[in-house]
Amino acid sequence: MPHRPSAFDPQSVRPQFPSLSREVSGRAAIFADGPGGTQTPQAVTSAMTAYLQRSNANLGGVFATSLETGEVVARGRRAAAAFLNAPSAETIVFGQNMTSLAFAMSRAIARTWAPGDEVVVTALDHDANVAPWMLAAEDRGATVRTVPFDPRECTLSVKTFGEALSARTRLVAIGMASNAVGSIVDIAPLIAAAHRVGALVFVDAVHYAPHRALDVRALDCDFLACSAYKFCGPHLGLLYAKAEHLASLSAYKVRPSSAVAPGKWETGTQNFEAIAGLTACLGYLGAIGLEAPGQQADP
């Protein structure tokens, strides 16, 4: 575990990222592709390698590597719950990425919709938080309403947002920060407005998570998704959902898999080495002073 500095010192952090020593055509590489994600510290790649070398297995066995894999998942859930300030590790679902998780959840939620119901998306959001809901609405005969953004500040107006809501609104999909322009959206009043008409709220926090602390309890959102590769972790999606939704909604899954949340939402064999890397990533961020709003993630 790296030493926690009294103040953030980029020069002390750089040696912990092996990729930063790379050269391209004889010159030091510059990684400026923000949408492409971040680089990973040695702690993350070491954790992933250690899992593959010593504990690689699947869940459900009574032998050592399977039991160790179960503990890897449990530690990952606890770390992710701390990172998001979720009330329980059992409210955390792992998946391939945020987009895949949004598609999976949209199919499940849409089962509760009927023709004439309404879904609200925004023109400011990444398509990963728009297309899943548009396609689900099309399948169910629901209407999609798109909230425009304020072009002067690239944010959402509470008034304009409220005008898109109605008693028929079943779900609202909003983002916390724009991946295109970087603007931050004050979503708390939007969530409250959606809840007043009885709608569920799905939050895309992919672009927000690397820059600001997340607190799903303070937000009171129904769902929130982000991707670890945006904050120095591996390619892995994280989904928080209120426990009652994970329990009551029907998941699309194979019949032998768990019928209990959160396992029923994690289709097929999970990327266990990435989950190990996530735990190391969140421990690393805590060690350099970037702690979660709740308790610090497991080291």
Side-chain angles (χ1 to χ4, degrees):
M1 181 64 63
H3 172 69
R4 180 195 295 271
S6 57
F8 184 75
D9 177 12
Q11 295 309 314
S12 70
V13 169
R14 287 184 63 85
Q16 298 165 28
F17 287 77
S19 61
L20 298 185
S21 64
R22 179 176 178 177
E23 292 187 351
V24 178
S25 300
R27 302 177 65 181
I30 297 175
F31 298 91
D33 182 12
T38 52
Q39 303 304 301
T40 55
Q42 184 63 54
V44 171
T45 54
S46 293
M48 296 176 72
T49 300
Y51 171 78
L52 289 171
Q53 290 178 337
R54 296 185 53 84
S55 303
N56 194 20
N58 212 328
L59 300 173
V62 295
F63 45 92
T65 52
S66 181
L67 297 174
E68 289 165 4
T69 296
E71 184 53 35
V72 164
V73 175
R75 284 198 301 269
R77 288 200 210 283
R78 292 195 297 269
F83 179 64
L84 301 177
N85 201 28
S88 164
E90 301 309 302
T91 61
I92 301 298
V93 175
F94 295 122
Q96 182 180 3
N97 46 56
M98 177 270 169
T99 304
S100 297
L101 288 167
F103 270 109
M105 197 55 66
S106 70
R107 293 185 72 196
I109 295 172
R111 282 177 156 181
T112 68
W113 300 344
D117 285 344
E118 297 177 357
V119 178
V120 174
V121 298
T122 88
L124 190 60
D125 272 65
H126 189 288
D127 204 52
N129 201 29
V130 177
W133 310 109
M134 294 181 70
L135 293 170
E138 181 181 349
D139 289 344
R140 302 296 295 175
T143 299
V144 177
R145 299 191 181 278
T146 302
V147 178
F149 62 88
D150 180 351
R152 295 167 300 178
E153 298 183 355
C154 292
T155 57
L156 300 174
S157 159
V158 175
K159 179 178 182 296
T160 304
F161 179 84
E163 292 170 351
L165 302 175
S166 76
R168 299 292 295 176
T169 306
R170 297 293 175 258
L171 180 127
V172 170
I174 50 178
M176 296 188 73
S178 168
N179 72 300
V181 298
S183 57
I184 294 175
V185 179
D186 181 10
I187 66 170
L190 309 184
I191 293 173
H195 283 166
R196 282 195 292 271
V197 299
L200 299 177
V201 180
F202 190 101
V203 175
D204 174 3
V206 171
H207 194 66
Y208 186 94
H211 305 290
R212 302 285 179 89
L214 287 164
D215 189 338
V216 295
R217 282 189 274 192
L219 289 173
D220 192 31
C221 54
D222 297 282
F223 308 89
L224 182 144
C226 60
S227 294
Y229 79 97
K230 292 286 189 174
F231 47 83
C232 302
H235 288 275
L236 180 73
L238 316 179
L239 172 71
Y240 157 78
K242 288 183 176 179
E244 59 265 33
H245 302 323
L246 291 180
S248 64
L249 290 169
S250 297
Y252 283 81
K253 67 180 191 66
V254 296
R255 289 171 293 177
S257 67
S258 174
V260 178
K264 73 177 188 179
W265 296 101
E266 295 172 341
T267 56
T269 299
Q270 292 298 293
N271 190 342
F272 301 122
E273 60 269 30
I275 296 173
L278 169 70
T279 303
C281 165
L282 297 178
Y284 173 81
L285 294 179
I288 63 172
L290 304 177
E291 296 187 16
Q295 63 183 15
Q296 188 177 347
D298 290 353

